[in-house]
Amino acid sequence: MSVGAIEVTGTDRLSEPEVVAALAVPEGTPLMQVDTSAAAHRVAGIARVAEVSVHREFPSTIRVDVMERVPVAYRDSGDGPHLLDKLGVDFAAEPPPPGLPKITMADPGDAELLRAVLQTVGGLPPELRGQITSIDVGSPSDISFGLTDGRTLVWGSVERSGLKAPVALAVLHQPGQTIDVSSPNLPTTK
C-alpha cells in the first residue's frame, strides 16, 4: 500500500509532469503517510491552477484533480500580454488566445474594480461575451465594451448586469455605432 501511480486529470495547458513535480510525492511513499492537503497546497501554487484536490485511491494510487484558470481578458504589461481570470488573477504572461478581449483601466491598480468587471464579463451569456473585443474601464461607473463589428457597448457600472445583458442582446441588432445599456430600462443607440 505505497504510492505506485499518480493520476492527473483536468489539465489542458498544464503538463502532467508539471503537476507531478509540484505534488512532490515520491513513488514508494506509504499511501497513508501522504499528506493530501499539503500536496494539494503545493499544486495550488502553480499560477495556472484555479482549484485542485488530491485523493488516495487504494491500493496504490494518488489522484490529482485539477481545474485550470480560464482567461476572461488580457492586459498589456511591460513584458507583454498577461492573461487574467474572472477573479482578476494574473496567471500567465503569454499571447492571448484568439478572441480574448483586452482590458484597459484608467486605474490599473484598482484590483477590486478589476475583479468586479472581470466577474461581470465572465458571467455574460456566451453570445454576448463572444462579441467583446475590448474592455475599457474609466471609472466604476464608466465601463464600455468594444464589439467585433466596431461598435461600442456602453455598460456603465457592474450593477444590474443581469438585466443589462439580455437588454444588450435585444438591441444589438439596432443601427448605430454606440449602444448604451447603462440604464437597462431605457437603452439607447446612436
Side-chain angles (χ1 to χ4, degrees):
M1 298 240 279
S2 60
V3 176
I6 297 174
E7 291 181 7
V8 178
T9 65
T11 57
D12 178 37
R13 300 281 304 192
L14 284 173
S15 70
E16 186 173 319
E18 284 177 280
V19 174
V20 171
L23 188 68
V25 174
E27 277 194 33
T29 302
L31 205 57
M32 292 306 295
Q33 288 183 10
V34 174
D35 183 343
T36 56
S37 281
H41 185 72
R42 290 189 295 270
V43 174
I46 301 172
R48 196 174 282 280
V49 173
E51 294 179 24
V52 62
S53 61
V54 176
H55 308 280
R56 296 178 197 92
E57 291 187 351
F58 294 97
S60 61
T61 302
I62 295 292
R63 180 181 170 102
V64 184
D65 298 315
V66 175
M67 183 185 298
E68 293 184 14
R69 294 187 188 281
V70 176
V72 172
Y74 76 94
R75 69 172 156 200
D76 282 330
S77 186
D79 60 344
H82 285 246
L83 304 182
L84 306 168
D85 74 356
K86 68 180 180 180
L87 300 176
V89 175
D90 179 341
F91 66 91
E94 62 186 47
L100 193 68
K102 177 182 178 181
I103 187 165
T104 306
M105 295 185 64
D107 180 3
D110 190 341
E112 186 177 323
L113 179 57
L114 174 65
R115 190 171 26 262
V117 170
L118 294 178
Q119 285 178 329
T120 297
V121 171
L124 292 176
E127 59 271 23
L128 178 57
R129 190 174 59 238
Q131 295 185 54
I132 297 173
T133 60
S134 65
I135 305 165
D136 296 305
V137 183
S139 71
S141 61
D142 180 20
I143 301 165
S144 62
F145 304 132
L147 303 176
T148 54
D149 61 6
R151 298 188 297 166
T152 300
L153 176 60
V154 177
W155 201 256
S157 69
V158 296
E159 282 81 31
R160 300 179 65 192
S161 288
L163 181 57
K164 292 176 185 180
V167 169
L169 284 170
V171 297
L172 278 177
H173 67 279
Q174 298 294 323
Q177 279 302 108
T178 304
I179 300 160
D180 188 335
V181 295
S182 59
S183 177
N185 294 330
L186 188 62
T188 61
T189 61
K190 50 182 167 172

